[in-house]
Amino acid sequence: MSTPTNTHDRDAAVRALLVDTVAHTPRRRRRWRLPTIAGAVVCVLGGAAAGGAITAAANPDPAAIAAQNRAALVVGGAGPSYLEVVGTPVGRVGSANETITVGRAPSGADTFTWIATCRTGGELTERRSGVVWSTSSCEAGSTTSDTYSAKAIAGREIRISADRDLGWTLSYGWLRTPPMPGASAAQEQAMDDGVVTRSEYLAAFDRFQGCMTARGASLGRIPTSSLFVTYGGPDEYALDWCIASEFDAVDTAWQVEHPAPSGADEGTWGFQRYDPAADPRYAG
C-alpha cells in the first residue's frame, strides 16, 4: 500500500484531472480507493515520444524473453474481461531504476496499463516532475498495477525507482474499451460547484443502482451508512457503464474530499460509519 506525500498538491492535481480521467478510464471500482492517477503506483509521468511506441532498452536474457512472451497475457488480464489488447504489449525485467517512454496511443486504443511484479523485496518510489509522489513497499511475488486514459498518459514517461536492487518484472501496453456513456446530467450537476455533499453522494449511488437494475444486473441491497459505499457486481460491462453514467465522478470527488488522515490504516479507511457531525462542510 502506498504512502502518498505532498497531500495538498496531490489532491489539487486529482481534482484538476478528475473529469477527464473518470470519463476515459474504465476500471472495476475498488471500494474506497482513489482513481488511477492517485493510486498505489510506482510510476511518474514526464517526457514524450511519438508514433504510439513504448520503448525501453533491449535485454535479451532468458528472463526478459519469458517476460515478453507473457506480456500480452498479463496486459489482457489486467482489467475487465471486455477490454481488448491493441498492438504488442511489452514485457521487461530489471532492478533498481527504469524509465519507459510512452508514445501516442495507437488507433483505437483508449487505455494504457502496466503491471509490475516484484521478484525480490524492497521499496518502490514514484516521482512526478522530480517530486516524490508516493512510496510503496513491495514484497517478493506481490503485484501492483494501474491504468490511465490514453489522453492522460500518451507522450509521457513512466519511471520506476527501486531501492536495494529490488528486482521486478513489468508488463505494459494499450487496451481498447467498448463505448461507455458520458456523465449524466444529474452527475454533472452534482459536480458543478466543485463540492460533493453527502446527499449528492448518496443520490448518485441511488441512480447507479437504478441503472444497474434497468440493465438486468441489480446490485441488490447495499448498506449506505459507511463513509464510502462498497459494492460489486456480476456484470463487468454493466457495472462500468452505470458507474460512468451515474456515479464515478461524484464517488471520486467524495473520496478526494475525505482522504485517510496521517497514520490511518488505508486498508480499512472508509469502512467506518459516516458521522455528519464530524463532517460539517460536506454533510449537507
Side-chain angles (χ1 to χ4, degrees):
M1 185 69 66
S2 66
T3 304
T5 59
N6 302 312
T7 303
H8 176 76
D9 292 342
R10 188 191 75 171
D11 289 352
V14 168
R15 188 168 289 282
L17 292 172
L18 175 63
V19 174
D20 173 68
T21 301
V22 298
H24 293 88
T25 307
R27 64 201 180 281
R28 175 65 67 89
R29 173 66 63 181
R30 294 184 180 181
R31 296 184 293 214
W32 59 87
R33 292 187 60 95
L34 295 178
T36 56
I37 57 174
V41 300
V42 297
C43 65
V44 59
L45 307 183
I54 308 170
T55 61
N59 187 2
D61 64 35
I65 294 172
Q68 180 57 49
N69 289 340
R70 293 185 65 247
L73 180 64
V74 174
V75 169
S81 59
Y82 57 76
L83 298 182
E84 302 172 3
V85 174
V86 178
T88 303
V90 174
R92 295 277 296 150
V93 293
S95 61
N97 301 336
E98 178 83 356
T99 299
I100 302 163
T101 302
V102 181
R104 294 191 182 95
S107 178
D110 54 38
T111 302
F112 180 87
T113 189
W114 60 262
I115 307 94
T117 301
C118 293
R119 294 184 289 113
T120 56
E123 187 174 80
L124 299 167
T125 301
E126 174 194 5
R127 289 181 174 84
R128 298 186 182 186
S129 302
V131 177
V132 174
W133 189 268
S134 68
T135 60
S136 179
S137 177
C138 193
E139 302 300 325
S142 65
T143 298
T144 187
S145 63
D146 216 335
T147 59
Y148 303 84
S149 71
K151 187 175 181 179
I153 192 67
R156 297 176 182 263
E157 283 184 347
I158 295 175
R159 179 172 173 80
I160 298 174
S161 298
D163 68 355
R164 295 182 293 173
D165 293 325
L166 182 152
W168 42 258
T169 300
L170 182 67
S171 301
Y172 47 92
W174 297 98
L175 296 163
R176 176 188 297 115
T177 312
M180 289 284 176
S184 67
Q187 188 172 195
E188 289 183 342
Q189 184 176 9
M191 296 292 295
D192 277 348
D193 62 358
V195 173
V196 170
T197 64
R198 182 67 176 182
S199 60
E200 289 173 329
Y201 176 62
L202 295 181
F205 184 75
D206 286 344
R207 293 192 300 271
F208 165 44
Q209 285 189 301
C211 176
M212 288 292 289
T213 299
R215 294 179 69 88
S218 175
L219 294 175
R221 292 182 61 84
I222 304 292
T224 58
S225 59
S226 59
L227 176 60
F228 300 150
V229 176
T230 65
Y231 57 86
D235 186 325
E236 289 183 314
Y237 189 54
L239 189 73
D240 286 346
W241 174 284
C242 291
I243 288 172
S245 175
E246 303 300 340
F247 193 52
D248 207 9
V250 168
D251 184 27
T252 300
W254 178 258
Q255 292 184 46
V256 170
E257 291 169 353
H258 299 84
S262 177
D265 181 357
E266 293 189 9
T268 59
W269 176 254
F271 275 133
Q272 71 271 26
R273 188 177 184 85
Y274 179 68
D275 179 6
D279 192 35
R281 182 178 181 186
Y282 304 107

